[in-house]
Amino acid sequence: MEALMDWKSMGSLYASLMFVRGAVREVIPPEVYKAAKTTFFYFFTNLQTKLVTIHIHEVENDSDNDIFNSVRRYLSSKCFASSKSLRLSKIKNSKNHTYTMVPEQSMVDMVDGVKLTWSLHSDQVEKVSKSESSRSFFKLCFEEKHKEFVDSAYIPHIMKEAEISKFKNRRKKLFTNRSGDCWSQVCQFSHPSTFDTIAMDPVLKQEIQADLKKFVNKSKFYTSVGKAWKRGYLLYGPPGTGKTSLIAAIANYLDFDIYDMELTSVKNNSQLKRLLISTSSKSVIVLEDIDCSLDLSNRKENNNQECDEGKMKTNNGTSNVSLSGILNFVDGLWSPCAGERLIIFTTNHKEKLDPALLRSGRMDKHISLSFCSMESFRILAKNYLKVEEHELMKEVEELISSIQVTPADVAECFMGYDEDPDAGMRNVVEEMKRRKEINKEEEKIDQTKKRLRSNDKENKEVKRLRSTGDDPNQDLEKIMPATEQEEKRKEVYEN
């Protein structure tokens, strides 16, 4: 009964509305009615939020869309927390696994208070080589008033973050030029050396790290001052002082690939240029033992212009790579082609290199790696023996200041004693004592040789004076110390 009454009420209401509608149309002129209707719809339409939708397809004009790949990398770090259905994968040569969205999923990205809604969809299925495949595309929805923000700030932000994510997730590679002007990947670079494990002066270590950090963070600065975004390091010192380990630590610190150049395999300057332009950004180019690979000695001392204009001698014969080619490789017009690179030369004899190669702008930082200091010894003891303090440390400090021992020598003494630190410390002390005794014997031998050379010189002078008829006794004071004059006079008269 109540339901019937409700229907009757609704019928009466509808009839009333129809009557009012007809009366309004009869009373109000058509022009006024049309204007009122337009105003009504305009008012309520403006109350609704206007949205903009951007489609980003996986493939555009039969080519991969870089923006699509960047969005996928960018969202992979954000979708895990907000999406309920995900795809898990690990790409070859990548460090970590990644999560990606599955089709018909959506998520919200809030940036600077702006709500941006992402969703992933699939295109229609296409037949490719008798197999079915689908292509995906992203939809980005946002309020129309944020158009400028999305175009000028948000999209560039996505591209930058995706590039950083790609760089961090890749594995470092080691390349070498085995055949002429081509690089070949040797292996994944996985050297364990870091700034924590390398044995060197702590102050120098911090200085190098600070310099590297400034270098990688100053792209705009290099551009503003008109310099190529590169930096040159010269590592010099005796063999076994850690030059190669420092290079590996630098590559691990920067997370850069390494290009290990063998100059003896490069035939001419043109091949050298091709090798340079084929290196990638964010890389370390290494030329070890540069003084042994080519004759880059000081032209002024040698007075040899062939170093710059002609062929250079190598360990395998001759090469048409010139000093000019090396200088242009480091700091010529071709040098900035890849950007953000570190060029490292190593040598055991810095004094043999031409000053033109050593100047700032080519080798910006000269790093001397010398014999083992006490600070370096403590780092090695901690790394190899897990020892920070020991009763023999004071004796080591006295010994290490009187001998020349490299970090490689100390490390070899520690090898095999990781389970018996006391024996390892005794072993290195014994080795240092042995070397000290050897040094004493060598000093005695050197003194004896020096005395024999002095006596030989004196005897020759005495013979010369006799041959000229002069009295040797009158000139003895000129050719020997006063303490030996009397003995020499006796020897002269006896002869």
Side-chain angles (χ1 to χ4, degrees), residues 11 21 168 185 212 260 267 347 403 407 410 434 445 459:
R21 179 187 176 190
K168 289 183 177 179
Q185 182 181 340
L212 292 172
D260 185 17
K267 300 303 180 184
T347 179
I403 62 171
V410 175
R434 186 182 71 83
I445 292 173
N459 290 332

Side-chain angles (χ1 to χ4, degrees), residues 368-404:
S368 174
L369 299 175
S370 189
F371 295 100
C372 190
S373 64
M374 194 59 202
E375 291 81 4
S376 301
F377 181 87
R378 289 183 181 277
I379 294 172
L380 290 168
K382 182 179 179 181
N383 292 341
Y384 283 84
L385 306 180
K386 310 302 179 189
V387 169
E388 296 188 19
E389 293 296 335
H390 196 275
E391 58 185 6
L392 294 176
M393 282 292 186
K394 189 172 183 179
E395 186 173 1
V396 169
E397 190 171 0
E398 294 174 356
L399 289 168
I400 208 169
S401 61
S402 60
I403 62 171
Q404 291 182 339

Side-chain angles (χ1 to χ4, degrees), residues 388-448:
E388 296 188 19
E389 293 296 335
H390 196 275
E391 58 185 6
L392 294 176
M393 282 292 186
K394 189 172 183 179
E395 186 173 1
V396 169
E397 190 171 0
E398 294 174 356
L399 289 168
I400 208 169
S401 61
S402 60
I403 62 171
Q404 291 182 339
V405 58
T406 66
D409 295 329
V410 175
E412 183 60 30
C413 292
F414 285 153
M415 288 295 292
Y417 292 98
D418 54 308
E419 296 182 358
D420 191 354
D422 293 335
M425 289 295 294
R426 289 194 298 270
N427 184 45
V428 76
V429 168
E430 291 172 3
E431 176 63 20
M432 288 182 177
K433 288 181 177 179
R434 186 182 71 83
R435 294 195 177 207
K436 188 174 182 179
E437 291 300 320
I438 291 175
N439 289 346
K440 287 182 179 179
E441 293 297 324
E442 289 178 348
E443 287 178 4
K444 290 180 180 179
I445 292 173
D446 290 340
Q447 290 176 359
T448 301

Side-chain angles (χ1 to χ4, degrees), residues 210-465:
D211 186 75
L212 292 172
K213 190 176 294 186
K214 287 180 181 178
F215 167 66
V216 297
N217 292 330
K218 286 200 171 184
S219 171
K220 293 182 179 179
F221 172 77
Y222 275 82
T223 303
S224 66
V225 297
K227 290 191 65 174
W229 194 13
K230 65 176 184 60
R231 194 149 178 82
Y233 278 11
L234 175 68
L235 312 184
Y236 65 96
T241 52
K243 294 185 286 293
T244 302
S245 296
L246 179 57
I247 292 171
I250 289 173
N252 286 327
Y253 182 76
L254 297 177
D255 211 15
F256 281 10
D257 293 331
I258 286 188
Y259 290 84
D260 185 17
M261 180 176 289
E262 180 55 62
L263 271 179
T264 55
S265 299
V266 183
K267 300 303 180 184
N268 50 53
N269 293 339
S270 297
Q271 283 192 357
L272 194 62
K273 287 181 181 178
R274 286 194 288 271
L275 286 170
L276 176 65
I277 62 177
S278 59
T279 58
S280 64
S281 179
K282 298 184 182 297
S283 60
V284 179
I285 302 175
V286 179
L287 290 87
E288 291 198 270
D289 299 319
I290 184 70
D291 56 306
C292 299
S293 300
L294 296 176
D295 182 11
L296 300 177
S297 54
N298 193 329
R299 290 168 291 176
K300 292 181 180 180
E301 292 181 359
N302 294 337
N303 193 24
N304 182 8
Q305 298 300 323
E306 291 182 359
C307 290
D308 186 47
E309 299 173 358
K311 294 183 178 180
M312 284 193 172
K313 294 181 179 180
T314 71
N315 293 335
N316 297 331
T318 59
S319 169
N320 284 327
V321 175
S322 65
L323 174 60
S324 174
I326 296 293
L327 299 181
N328 287 326
F329 173 84
V330 177
D331 192 36
L333 291 175
W334 297 77
S335 60
C337 59
E340 196 175 5
R341 288 175 308 176
L342 196 66
I343 301 175
I344 300 180
F345 286 5
T346 73
T347 179
N348 297 333
H349 306 284
K350 178 184 175 182
E351 67 280 0
K352 291 185 178 181
L353 301 181
D354 194 284
L357 185 64
L358 303 180
R359 71 161 175 82
S360 298
R362 288 172 179 153
M363 292 295 102
D364 304 288
K365 192 171 183 63
H366 297 195
I367 301 173
S368 174
L369 299 175
S370 189
F371 295 100
C372 190
S373 64
M374 194 59 202
E375 291 81 4
S376 301
F377 181 87
R378 289 183 181 277
I379 294 172
L380 290 168
K382 182 179 179 181
N383 292 341
Y384 283 84
L385 306 180
K386 310 302 179 189
V387 169
E388 296 188 19
E389 293 296 335
H390 196 275
E391 58 185 6
L392 294 176
M393 282 292 186
K394 189 172 183 179
E395 186 173 1
V396 169
E397 190 171 0
E398 294 174 356
L399 289 168
I400 208 169
S401 61
S402 60
I403 62 171
Q404 291 182 339
V405 58
T406 66
D409 295 329
V410 175
E412 183 60 30
C413 292
F414 285 153
M415 288 295 292
Y417 292 98
D418 54 308
E419 296 182 358
D420 191 354
D422 293 335
M425 289 295 294
R426 289 194 298 270
N427 184 45
V428 76
V429 168
E430 291 172 3
E431 176 63 20
M432 288 182 177
K433 288 181 177 179
R434 186 182 71 83
R435 294 195 177 207
K436 188 174 182 179
E437 291 300 320
I438 291 175
N439 289 346
K440 287 182 179 179
E441 293 297 324
E442 289 178 348
E443 287 178 4
K444 290 180 180 179
I445 292 173
D446 290 340
Q447 290 176 359
T448 301
K449 289 181 179 179
K450 186 177 180 180
R451 187 168 58 253
L452 290 174
R453 285 194 297 268
S454 177
N455 290 339
D456 183 59
K457 180 180 178 181
E458 293 165 3
N459 290 332
K460 287 180 180 179
E461 183 67 15
V462 170
K463 289 180 182 180
R464 186 189 68 78
L465 291 172

Side-chain angles (χ1 to χ4, degrees), residues 11-39:
S12 299
L13 178 62
Y14 180 73
S16 300
L17 289 174
M18 293 301 293
F19 174 78
V20 172
R21 179 187 176 190
V24 169
R25 284 186 174 182
E26 290 293 333
V27 175
I28 300 176
E31 294 79 6
V32 177
Y33 174 79
K34 187 177 180 180
K37 184 178 179 181
T38 303
T39 304

Side-chain angles (χ1 to χ4, degrees), residues 105 167 415 487:
Q105 289 282 323
F167 175 71
M415 288 295 292
E487 294 182 4

